[in-house]
Amino acid sequence: MKSLERVLATVGGQPKDRPAFVMNLSLYGSKLAGIPPEVLYADASAYAQGQIAVREVFGPDLLLSPFLVPALGEAFGSVSATGRSQVPNIRQFATRGAREALALPLPDVDSHPRIVYLRETIRTLSARYQGEVPVVGVLVSPVDLPPLVMGVEAWLEALLSEPDTARALMERWAPFCADLANAMLGDGATLIAATANFANPTLVPPRVTQGIGRPALEATFGAIRGPIILHHGGARLEPHLDAYLGLPNVAAYFVDARDSLPQARRRLGEGPILIGNVHGPTLENETPESARSLAEAILAERAGDPRFIFGTSAADIPLATPPEVITALVDAVCAAGSVAP
Amino acid sequence: MARDWSGELVNCIRSADRVAANLLLNDWAETRTYEEAVAEVLTPALEHFGNLWASNVGETSLAQGYVAAKVAEDLLDRVLAAQAADGRTVEMEKGPVVVGNVEDDYHPLGRAMLVAFLRSAGWNVHDLGVDVPPAEFLDKVEEVGARVLGASAMMFSTARNVIHLREEIDRRGLRGRVQLAVGGAVFKLRPELVEQFGGDGTAPTALHAPALFERLWQRSLELDPVTR
């Protein structure tokens, strides 16, 4: 089967030759293609080169646009720092708080250089792998955009102490997030992946999840014209899935490595796709043998789940991870064999 | 029945309601002092909440931890203001200690909470901010005579830079005397990294950092009692 067929079979709960898999190898493309991270995250063709190398070496069934949420902060005026061997981080925020953020102009999704960069990676990858490998457009939902523009503390302050301002900001930024997602779908992305940490009870109290987070997600996701992967974003998702159920267009849930896959499946029911859950950022500590054991245990537990995709959760797999460790995960998936409902 | 001030404060923190917490402490201060509130209301409330936070009983959230830190900070500000108004010298009784985010780490929230809890526990804290190179950490440690250095890192990729901090401590011949406390999400997720990266200790939450710093300070004194 081609990767696209495998993923579509997963969406439909149909039989397939093996489970599909996705890995956060956004940064790792730099290692495989011999491109420095600062070039990878500035030049769309360099990023695409990296992902082409990822596809050739490891063969994931889904390719990702840059897992580079700071670029969205940059589009609003924040400034990033590029580490020597890591994904850029915001080092200077565009504003000090939510009220100031309300006055910021919205970036143009067709012309802002950082957004053009993100979109161009999707255009290049989807053109190359059309009909063969789905491409995922990686975004944040509007609840996770303010930390990239004003910092986590200022956003928490607004959510807790200035709910009307926070709500107004969500109403202003939700259409931007939806427009960008739709533009990415137009560029050839098959799915959109978005985080929603600041609608998660692990981070914020119920008055925020219910009064600000959920309405913002409903407005944004309802306006996106394609399927969405709700990504855990570093927080546990499984105990709180009830808070997210029923959101429009969410087709898949990408859970945290600490989450229980069987519990998540029980909470979700049979319909949605479940993705997880090896912790990517600590794979460099594994040996090929231990990585394979981790994967085999997950695959054995999920055997027979027609809507399961094996994935590495959280941030990027580090550059220091030996390729043999990643290959061991891939081998385990390939050895898992066919999946029948 | 006597009013359960600390219990009420715990409830404010669990509701992530900083305004209600400050109103409560103002109520207290109508008949007593803010200084007394530290020992009689804040400390037992934080101890109780800290236990919940560490064990995650009742599903504590980041917002609750943040509000706990802010309440501690707000009360400390009022204590210091009251002392200054009385013409008393404002001095932290413990430390000095130095804290910061390791090089390449730009996630300040955890460190800000750490600083609030340390200061409310009486520590004299030198906060160097984000993205602090090892040499800058150690220059400050030597300048102020700190025995504990607190390094914060959120991501695995940046937590590795604790290794360079360890190397710098050792290169300057300060192993033992300068104890390295490490903290951040990645160390909670993978506690074995504390030792692997060269840390001397960690705490389950920022609220538990003052107790960790006490232990590390004592260890430093045992290993190198000489005052410099």
Side-chain angles (χ1 to χ4, degrees), chain A residues 217-242:
Chain A
L217 296 181
E218 282 175 352
T220 310
F221 292 173
I224 294 175
R225 296 185 292 274
I228 297 165
I229 300 170
L230 184 70
H231 190 278
H232 71 96
R236 288 196 64 187
L237 195 57
E238 176 266 309
H240 310 294
L241 280 170
D242 294 347

Side-chain angles (χ1 to χ4, degrees), chain B residues 38 42-43 46 72-73 76-77 79-80 83 90-99 111-127 144-150 177 179 181 203 206-221:
Chain B
V38 173
L42 181 70
T43 301
L46 291 185
E73 196 174 86
L76 180 65
D77 285 346
V79 169
L80 295 177
Q83 288 177 346
V90 178
E91 272 185 18
M92 292 298 186
E93 67 215 34
K94 301 173 189 171
V97 294
V98 172
V99 304
R111 193 198 76 255
M113 290 160 65
L114 166 75
V115 170
F117 290 130
L118 286 173
R119 285 188 173 145
S120 70
W123 287 91
N124 175 12
V125 183
H126 294 265
D127 181 2
V144 301
R147 286 179 176 270
V148 183
L149 189 171
R177 180 179 180 83
Q179 295 286 307
L207 194 40
H208 295 82
L212 170 69
F213 276 52
E214 295 274 8
R215 284 198 304 277
L216 294 179
W217 190 274
Q218 285 308 315
R219 193 189 295 166
S220 164
L221 285 173

Side-chain angles (χ1 to χ4, degrees), chain B:
Chain B
M1 201 167 105
R3 189 170 171 184
D4 180 8
W5 293 93
S6 68
E8 287 184 40
L9 186 58
V10 170
N11 289 338
C12 294
I13 290 169
R14 295 193 72 186
S15 304
D17 193 339
R18 181 179 174 185
V19 173
N22 280 320
L23 288 174
L24 179 82
L25 292 168
N26 287 346
D27 278 356
W28 163 278
E30 282 187 6
T31 53
R32 283 147 289 195
T33 66
Y34 285 121
E35 278 176 279
E36 289 170 321
V38 173
E40 296 180 40
V41 184
L42 181 70
T43 301
L46 291 185
E47 193 176 323
H48 182 81
F49 174 70
N51 290 335
L52 296 176
W53 196 5
S55 58
N56 204 26
V57 173
E59 295 184 352
T60 50
S61 67
L62 173 70
Q64 291 171 347
Y66 169 74
V67 166
K70 284 294 168 187
V71 169
E73 196 174 86
D74 293 342
L75 182 57
L76 180 65
D77 285 346
R78 278 180 270 183
V79 169
L80 295 177
Q83 288 177 346
D86 292 347
R88 285 183 279 163
T89 309
V90 178
E91 272 185 18
M92 292 298 186
E93 67 215 34
K94 301 173 189 171
V97 294
V98 172
V99 304
N101 284 74
V102 296
E103 191 165 23
D104 292 336
D105 194 287
Y106 293 92
H107 297 89
L109 184 66
R111 193 198 76 255
M113 290 160 65
L114 166 75
V115 170
F117 290 130
L118 286 173
R119 285 188 173 145
S120 70
W123 287 91
N124 175 12
V125 183
H126 294 265
D127 181 2
L128 301 184
V130 296
D131 184 30
V132 184
E136 190 179 330
F137 263 121
L138 269 298
D139 286 350
K140 180 57 77 174
V141 161
E142 293 194 297
E143 177 195 326
V144 301
R147 286 179 176 270
V148 183
L149 189 171
S152 177
M154 184 176 172
M155 310 289 287
F156 183 80
S157 53
T158 55
R160 291 177 60 83
N161 289 338
V162 168
I163 294 169
H164 304 306
L165 207 43
R166 171 84 270 161
E167 289 167 352
E168 185 68 12
I169 291 170
D170 294 351
R171 194 184 67 76
R172 297 193 188 198
L174 295 171
R175 177 179 276 270
R177 180 179 180 83
V178 174
Q179 295 286 307
L180 178 56
V182 297
V186 67
F187 294 108
K188 198 170 174 182
L189 191 67
R190 300 289 295 262
E192 72 275 14
L193 296 180
V194 176
E195 192 179 342
Q196 190 179 324
F197 290 168
D200 293 310
T202 189
T205 73
L207 194 40
H208 295 82
L212 170 69
F213 276 52
E214 295 274 8
R215 284 198 304 277
L216 294 179
W217 190 274
Q218 285 308 315
R219 193 189 295 166
S220 164
L221 285 173
E222 288 161 16
L223 293 170
D224 186 354
V226 178
T227 303
R228 295 181 195 171

Side-chain angles (χ1 to χ4, degrees), chain A residues 161-176:
Chain A
S161 308
E162 294 184 77
D164 290 341
T165 308
R167 218 171 275 118
L169 193 63
M170 291 299 88
E171 283 167 12
R172 179 160 165 73
W173 285 4
F176 163 76

